[in-house]
Amino acid sequence: MFADRARIIIRSGKGGDGHVSFRRELFVPDGGPDGGDGGKGGDVIFEVDEGLNTLIDYRHRRKFAAKDGEPGGKRRCHGSNGADIVLKVPQGTVVKEAVSGQVIADMSGDNRRQIILRGGRGGNGNMHYATATMQAPKYAQPGQEAKELEVLLELKVIADVGLVGFPNVGKSTFLARVTNATPKIANYHFTTLSPNLGVVDLEGGGFVIADIPGLIEGASEGVGLGHEFLRHIERTKVMIHIVDAASVEGRDPVDDIHKINAELAAYNEELAKRPQVIAANKIDAIYTEDEDPVQRLRDEFEPLGIPVFAISAVSGKGVKELLYHVKSMLNELPQEAVIFEQEYDPELHLVDRNLPFTVEKSAEEENTYIVEGPRIEKMLGYTNLESEKGFRFFQNFLKDNGILDQLEALGIQEGDTVRMYGLQFDYYR
């Protein structure tokens, strides 16, 4: 089975924790803080590999993780950074957030390598928190937490032209005749299980054409293999509808075109609006003396701006005229490739809230408790404690961050003193 879709869980590396230590040297009994910083966690990187054409590597393994950063050490030693993990994918792979289906990255065009999840920052060692009033900080910053995300990988074939049509109308035969592709050809109702790509060589430049597997009614709702392959048409600029003009299997070619367009519109309305050409195939098998089926197709669709070409994929009759017309259509269309824009940024959705603080009982002053740390400093920096609203925010901050619980666990009593940098207040429940 052609592996063009996979669901995996990716995880960046956690940042290494900062270290708490103090200089201990001969004749220096009270050395300053010298705890080193933690190393950065590894990134999760997606990279295009030209040698790949499926996502089979992600079908049987679901979890991929970068390495964590190492913690800091004594004597200002910096922890080593965690190793990145590089996930190789075929060109044309779209990375989506699994729950919402929003696009994170489109690995096509100039985008050959992209960081999807960044590793956590390493935490600062306690040497960073020494101040004139706090010369021996006993806390360090924990490393930033790892980020984990479930993503959906979808391979969307990159081709200028897509062949669409019901099974057994001659798409594979047509592709084999006009390109260097060698598709398997047999009389089954789902012959083509994977998109076959080929290059059409013409004077003045060629184009890439893809045989999209035969559609059936209900394909847009996932019936048969519809959803598995309709996504491959999304990048194509022009679509060639191949129909069996001779009705060898009893199909009505006019009805087939309407049904296919209905499936395209149901899956993605933009697809049904793409420029189209109808290839009325198997004209060498038309033996009816009644209404000419090719003329019937022209009467139905050419007034809608969809040209009809009578061809025989077996003998090659009419094929060259069709190809040159398609080339002229491509020349008039914008040349840039269809790239899916980013809709979901993991850096904005997976936010780190990890800042340290400590709560301890004072060894020097009786009935006094000290609360310190970057989280406290940051909160005090943007809170006006002189206003009623600001003080209520301050109380909620102490409660929501578990600071009151820690004070009570240390045995604080009503009337005891709590000190935070320059702030001091009495504790009451």
Side-chain angles (χ1 to χ4, degrees):
M1 177 62 186
F2 180 73
D4 70 343
R5 204 163 190 251
R7 201 180 184 104
I8 63 172
I9 295 170
I10 56 175
R11 177 188 178 276
S12 64
K14 176 188 179 300
D17 295 339
H19 189 70
V20 176
S21 61
F22 298 90
R23 286 176 56 204
R24 291 292 179 263
E25 299 176 25
L26 193 63
F27 309 118
V28 186
D30 297 313
D34 69 350
D37 301 341
K40 175 186 174 296
D43 299 333
V44 178
I45 302 170
F46 278 75
E47 186 174 88
V48 171
D49 185 336
E50 299 291 352
L52 297 177
N53 55 19
T54 77
L55 295 169
I56 192 70
D57 293 344
Y58 304 100
R59 277 294 180 90
H60 306 296
R61 182 181 166 195
R62 288 215 62 214
K63 295 189 176 181
F64 299 84
K67 298 294 184 182
D68 296 340
E70 296 291 328
K74 298 178 180 179
R75 299 180 181 175
R76 298 176 177 252
C77 287
H78 195 291
S80 55
N81 295 336
D84 299 334
I85 184 170
V86 180
L87 304 180
K88 302 292 184 70
V89 294
Q91 184 179 5
T93 300
V94 178
V95 184
K96 296 182 176 180
E97 197 276 322
V99 177
S100 66
Q102 292 180 311
V103 174
I104 299 173
D106 185 351
M107 305 305 297
S108 19
D110 295 330
N111 189 22
R112 318 301 291 177
R113 182 182 171 95
Q114 182 170 337
I115 298 173
I116 302 298
L117 286 184
R118 294 188 181 277
R121 294 187 307 273
N124 290 329
N126 69 330
M127 63 179 179
H128 290 279
Y129 300 115
T131 64
T133 56
M134 176 52 61
Q135 297 181 5
K138 299 187 178 77
Y139 54 83
Q141 185 182 30
Q144 190 179 33
E145 288 300 320
K147 297 183 178 73
E148 186 172 285
L149 187 64
E150 186 174 23
V151 296
L152 181 65
L153 307 181
E154 288 187 348
L155 177 57
K156 298 178 187 287
V157 170
I158 298 176
D160 302 303
V161 177
L163 299 182
V164 292
F166 280 89
N168 295 333
V169 295
K171 298 198 315 307
S172 296
T173 305
F174 176 81
L175 188 74
R177 168 164 289 280
V178 303
T179 75
N180 55 1
T182 55
K184 295 178 181 179
I185 301 170
N187 187 30
Y188 298 114
H189 277 275
F190 245 105
T191 304
T192 313
L193 290 182
S194 60
N196 290 301
L197 267 70
V199 177
V200 176
D201 290 318
L202 298 172
E203 292 180 18
F207 53 86
V208 179
I209 192 168
D211 170 15
I212 307 300
L215 296 179
I216 59 175
E217 287 182 80
S220 60
E221 299 168 3
V223 176
L225 296 176
H227 255 171
E228 292 294 314
F229 301 110
L230 272 167
R231 68 177 61 91
H232 291 302
I233 314 173
E234 292 188 60
R235 291 194 199 269
T236 58
K237 299 174 183 176
V238 173
M239 274 180 285
I240 300 177
H241 289 259
I242 296 191
V243 292
D244 176 5
S247 300
V248 172
E249 295 193 351
R251 304 195 63 87
D252 179 354
V254 171
D255 187 50
D256 278 1
I257 298 291
H258 286 303
K259 284 178 178 176
I260 287 175
N261 276 333
E263 292 300 327
L264 296 178
Y267 178 74
N268 181 339
E269 286 189 7
E270 290 300 313
L271 289 181
K273 298 176 184 176
R274 300 268 166 89
Q276 301 178 6
V277 177
I278 294 172
N281 193 23
K282 303 186 182 181
I283 57 170
D284 47 357
I286 297 175
Y287 300 111
T288 178
E289 296 180 0
D290 300 328
E291 183 182 16
D292 178 2
V294 175
Q295 189 58 47
R296 183 165 162 253
L297 283 164
R298 286 178 174 145
D299 292 343
E300 181 78 12
F301 295 104
E302 288 194 341
L304 302 176
I306 304 175
V308 177
F309 287 82
I311 70 164
S312 169
V314 172
S315 69
K317 185 176 181 180
V319 170
K320 184 179 289 187
E321 291 81 0
L322 168 64
L323 295 178
Y324 275 102
H325 180 80
V326 170
K327 177 60 179 171
S328 68
M329 293 174 68
L330 289 171
N331 289 341
E332 294 173 4
L333 293 171
Q335 295 306 303
E336 63 269 12
V338 177
I339 303 293
F340 297 93
E341 297 294 329
Q342 184 180 41
E343 301 168 326
Y344 181 99
D345 186 349
E347 292 300 309
L348 298 179
H349 288 81
L350 307 176
V351 181
D352 172 62
R353 297 178 177 82
N354 196 6
L355 286 171
F357 67 87
T358 59
V359 181
E360 58 184 21
K361 190 171 184 178
S362 174
E364 290 81 23
E365 298 177 76
E366 192 175 355
N367 301 327
T368 299
Y369 296 79
I370 299 171
V371 181
E372 298 176 331
R375 187 182 301 187
I376 310 302
E377 280 188 292
K378 188 173 181 180
M379 183 276 301
L380 292 176
Y382 59 69
T383 305
N384 179 12
L385 298 180
E386 295 182 2
S387 71
E388 182 180 347
K389 183 178 179 180
F391 192 76
R392 190 162 59 247
F393 172 83
F394 169 68
Q395 289 178 310
N396 289 334
F397 174 87
L398 298 180
K399 181 180 178 181
D400 294 343
N401 284 276
I403 294 173
L404 295 183
D405 291 339
Q406 290 194 39
L407 288 169
E408 290 179 2
L410 290 172
I412 194 169
Q413 301 295 319
E414 290 197 7
D416 288 352
T417 300
V418 177
R419 184 172 295 148
M420 297 183 185
Y421 296 97
L423 178 69
Q424 181 173 307
F425 64 92
D426 295 335
Y427 175 80
Y428 291 99
R429 299 189 183 191

